[in-house]
Amino acid sequence: MTTYIMKRVLSIIPTMLGVAVLVFLMVHMIPGDPARAIGGLEADAAQLEAIRQDLGLHEPLHIQFFDFVTGALRGDFGRSFSTGVPVTQEIFSRMPHTFKLALAGISLSVVIGLTAGVVAAQHHQRPLDNIVMVAAMFGVSMPSFWFGLMLIVIFAVTLGWFPTSGSGSPSHLVLPAMALGIRAAAILARLTRSSMLDVMKSDFVRTARGKGLSESVITLKHVLRNSLIPVVTIVGLQFGALLAGTVIIEQVFAWPGIGRLLIRSLMARDFPMVQGTILYIALAFVLVNLVVDLFYSVLDPRIQYN
Amino acid sequence: MTMEGNEDYQQGDQAAPDAVREYSPAKHVLRVFLRNRGATVGLIILLVLICMAVAAPLLAPYDPFEISENLMEPPSGDHLMGTDPLGRDLMSMIIFGSRISLQVGLIAVGIATVVGTVFGLVAGYMEGWVDNVIMRFMDILLAFPGILLALVIIAVLGSGLFNVMIALGIAAIPTYTRLVRGSTLSAKQNEYVMAAQAQGANLSRLLFKHILPNVMAPIIVNATLGVAGAILASAGLSFIGLGPSPPTAEWGAILAQSRQYIRRAWWLVTFPGMAITLTVLSINMVGDGLRDALDPQLKE
């Protein structure tokens, strides 16, 4: 078990190193000259060369990569080409916004998803079950950014209950969190339902029923608890997916997180910023997956590791 | 459903050779599939959408790119879904958009399935260092969550429809590689595979003739659901401005252009999204039905 955990933790290092290489190479393959982007159209050859010198772009690729990796290990991704602000500083000032949004999204989806799943399982093959399942099917089939637009049309433009975009107050968080969490909620509802239906068939539930326990005690204490193992895993994985989902949702709601930063930097050919944001998102994703894996191994002692 | 499935097998086992020939796995799958109401409804919707895409020029009431003086009109008898800021008929744009979305979905998944399957077959069959190299590389690709990898690939290739297909295709490769590798590891333990090995069958024959047919079922299910995922992802990429350049009838791109009119023209942001949802929904329902029919063990 301990060796498994050690191995699993250490496996992050080569993966992240690979991610760093891949991101570095891809970012440097992006067409367009960043020196030109900074200097503007009027800059002459000498000025462009000066900019390249300044940014280290004149160095051969492997030297640039070496600088990039050694910097990254110290948490230094250089400065933004367009604003001059250190990349790490900019990311750290935006990261909390993205985490807040992702956390709100996943909390919402857990509450909605679990409730809907439990209700559907209790009403198996009755109208309520069908309604929940059809709704869940829509939930996984809707583009979440479009759901966000619809929420804006209904709750912000028509009813005026929430602001259309921006951040700052808790009410700014509601619509983007719903847009972000709807897909995970639908996935969790489907999973909770099927997992509960599986557990309901098991012997210990029949025993509990035979002992004369009430249905609500059976559902909550016996069925739900045992159905949660796969659900917990998916919650973790969905949290990782939500981090990526914020890239588009932040655009819809003008949310000042790293997703918007990434898109803006991509459009501006701001290489250091693009590298930094992607690496941080990937690192967060890999760490979340790691925690899920470890948690899973603690939660389900039946799984053998070697 | 499984019970009836078994009866089919038993008939095949015990009856005369004629009856044996009559049993066809494809027919059986089709029968189980059609008994599933959701899957059948999904299939009908999908077929209608495909017909719509094919017959778009005949069905669309207007030329989707024709600019008129009827700017931003709400839905009416003349324009069932209203018009956009340039006076173009939204319904015609959406009908033509179905061609783009279905194409993107199919081609992206085509790329991912073919490349991912080959990698998975090779990794699972060879094991050892080949397996290690392939799977560690896939781990790296999988460290990019969601559409992040596709996003960067498009940044490198440049925006545009074809590049979106390639980017989404590459981003989906690891899923198929993992899936096929897992199935290959168990499929190669089959005795007939070992027999073929012993007879000296060459590698490509072993992989594609003997092992591949055994791992087809999960590939088909995943590819179907993958088309739905690719359509969603491509709409998202177009929405943030990385899709085909205008003028285009791509659904995500229409949504992106319509967003600034969200206060004045609800129809512009509503109908394209409905089109995406309906398409993805129908494909998901077909995929779920296929999964239940092809692999009863995976049933939810």
Side-chain angles (χ1 to χ4, degrees):
Chain A
M1 183 75 180
T2 327
T3 24
Y4 168 75
I5 293 176
M6 286 298 289
K7 257 185 166 169
R8 184 66 185 78
V9 171
L10 289 177
S11 73
I12 285 185
I13 298 171
T15 306
M16 281 315 292
L17 203 65
V19 171
V21 175
L22 204 61
V23 169
F24 176 85
L25 287 177
M26 288 200 290
V27 165
H28 280 76
M29 284 195 301
I30 294 177
D33 182 359
R36 176 64 77 187
I38 298 165
L41 285 173
E42 303 89 46
D44 57 33
Q47 282 171 311
L48 290 182
E49 194 47 42
I51 294 172
R52 282 192 200 106
Q53 293 271 353
D54 189 39
L55 300 173
L57 287 171
H58 63 294
E59 304 273 13
L61 207 58
H62 63 276
I63 305 277
Q64 286 189 44
F65 179 70
F66 184 76
D67 289 346
F68 167 65
V69 170
T70 47
L73 286 176
R74 284 180 278 122
D76 176 11
F77 289 93
R79 287 167 178 277
S80 159
F81 282 175
S82 32
T83 59
V85 179
V87 168
T88 311
Q89 187 188 323
E90 179 77 27
I91 291 176
F92 273 46
S93 76
R94 283 164 171 267
M95 197 70 124
H97 291 284
T98 296
F99 266 112
K100 195 161 86 182
L101 182 56
L103 214 59
I106 198 76
S107 316
L108 210 64
S109 65
V110 168
V111 173
I112 298 174
L114 284 192
T115 317
V118 171
V119 169
Q122 278 177 319
H123 295 81
H124 186 44
Q125 288 181 343
R126 276 181 280 161
L128 206 52
D129 180 26
N130 291 332
I131 292 171
V132 170
M133 282 304 102
V134 170
M137 198 70 196
F138 270 95
V140 294
S141 304
M142 268 187 305
S144 53
F145 68 89
W146 175 69
F147 185 61
L149 291 174
M150 289 293 100
L151 290 175
I152 294 178
V153 169
I154 298 169
F155 294 105
V157 175
T158 311
L159 296 171
W161 290 356
F162 299 101
T164 48
S165 63
S167 67
S169 73
S171 70
H172 281 100
L173 190 60
V174 178
L175 297 186
M178 274 171 76
L180 190 63
I182 182 74
R183 189 182 168 77
I187 292 173
L188 286 177
R190 281 160 62 120
L191 188 78
T192 308
R193 172 183 175 270
S194 66
S195 180
M196 281 192 60
L197 291 178
D198 269 356
V199 177
M200 277 174 182
K201 284 184 219 143
S202 54
D203 290 340
F204 64 83
V205 173
R206 203 168 352 132
T207 312
R209 203 161 274 144
K211 282 197 305 189
L213 292 179
S214 73
E215 275 306 307
S216 60
V217 171
I218 294 173
T219 307
L220 293 176
K221 267 194 91 171
H222 295 266
V223 180
L224 187 59
R225 263 184 77 173
N226 283 289
S227 317
L228 283 183
I229 294 174
V231 176
V232 167
T233 326
I234 297 299
V235 169
L237 295 178
Q238 283 301 316
F239 184 70
L242 283 194
L243 281 176
T246 57
V247 173
I248 294 181
I249 293 297
E250 285 179 7
Q251 298 287 316
V252 177
F253 291 93
W255 190 261
I258 51 173
R260 261 178 94 209
L261 179 67
L262 173 63
I263 303 290
R264 206 186 62 199
S265 317
L266 263 179
M267 303 286 180
R269 315 239 169 282
D270 192 344
F271 290 175
M273 200 59 101
V274 173
Q275 283 169 175
T277 22
I278 294 180
L279 274 182
Y280 270 111
I281 298 177
L283 181 65
F285 182 62
V286 168
L287 287 178
V288 170
N289 284 352
L290 171 76
V291 172
V292 172
D293 265 13
L294 296 183
F295 196 63
Y296 195 72
S297 63
V298 176
L299 210 63
D300 194 346
R302 283 170 299 189
I303 301 168
Q304 295 280 316
Y305 297 94
N306 44 33
Chain B
M1 281 182 201
T2 349
M3 287 265 302
E4 279 144 330
N6 286 340
E7 275 165 28
D8 286 343
Y9 282 111
Q10 276 160 13
Q11 271 177 10
D13 283 344
Q14 290 160 2
D18 278 350
V20 177
R21 227 171 290 134
E22 260 173 36
Y23 174 74
S24 128
K27 265 188 204 154
H28 171 70
V29 166
L30 188 69
R31 207 173 318 139
V32 177
F33 180 88
L34 290 177
R35 226 179 280 145
N36 181 335
R37 207 168 0 129
T40 314
V41 172
L43 186 65
I44 292 171
I45 301 176
L46 185 61
L47 288 176
V48 170
L49 286 168
I50 292 173
C51 293
M52 193 174 91
V54 173
L58 301 173
L59 290 173
Y62 298 88
D63 176 342
F65 300 117
E66 191 186 81
I67 295 169
S68 77
E69 285 157 11
N70 312 317
L71 310 182
M72 291 237 269
E73 278 188 10
S76 66
D78 280 345
H79 299 279
L80 286 177
M81 294 183 181
T83 62
D84 80 346
L86 295 175
R88 293 175 295 193
D89 180 56
L90 185 59
M91 191 163 113
S92 305
M93 290 170 79
I94 288 178
I95 291 177
F96 270 88
S98 63
R99 294 182 152 192
I100 304 179
S101 289
L102 290 173
Q103 258 181 46
V104 173
L106 286 174
I107 295 178
V109 168
I111 295 171
T113 318
V114 171
V115 180
T117 302
V118 172
F119 275 133
L121 283 171
V122 171
Y125 184 77
M126 308 278 270
E127 297 188 56
W129 68 269
V130 179
D131 180 34
N132 247 314
V133 169
I134 293 178
M135 293 324 286
R136 290 303 78 76
F137 185 63
M138 294 302 155
D139 282 348
I140 294 170
L141 293 185
L142 283 168
F144 294 86
I147 63 160
L148 215 59
L149 185 59
L151 205 74
V152 189
I153 297 174
I154 293 174
V156 174
L157 298 176
S159 56
L161 203 57
F162 189 60
N163 292 341
V164 168
M165 297 176 192
I166 295 179
L168 290 175
I170 295 177
I173 288 174
T175 325
Y176 295 91
T177 302
R178 274 201 168 175
L179 183 79
V180 173
R181 173 184 177 269
S183 313
T184 305
L185 281 175
S186 62
K188 76 172 178 186
Q189 304 297 332
N190 285 330
E191 275 162 16
Y192 62 83
V193 175
M194 295 184 188
Q197 259 171 337
Q199 283 180 348
N202 69 26
L203 184 63
S204 71
R205 193 179 162 79
L206 271 171
L207 291 184
F208 294 106
K209 273 220 103 126
H210 296 286
I211 295 180
L212 185 60
N214 271 288
V215 301
M216 267 326 265
I219 296 178
I220 291 172
V221 173
N222 259 273
T224 311
L225 296 170
V227 172
I231 291 177
L232 276 182
S234 78
L237 289 170
S238 296
F239 182 71
I240 51 179
L242 294 173
S245 37
T248 172
E250 209 276 337
W251 293 336
I254 302 177
L255 281 172
Q257 293 152 21
S258 309
R259 201 170 122 211
Q260 49 181 313
Y261 307 107
I262 195 165
R263 287 176 177 278
R264 285 190 285 156
W266 59 268
W267 58 94
L268 283 179
V269 285
T270 307
F271 294 120
M274 282 184 170
I276 301 172
T277 306
L278 192 66
T279 310
V280 173
L281 185 77
S282 67
I283 298 171
N284 276 336
M285 292 200 293
V286 170
D288 278 3
L290 275 178
R291 182 189 48 211
D292 294 349
L294 283 171
D295 195 346
Q297 282 168 341
L298 285 174
K299 191 166 174 153
E300 273 187 86

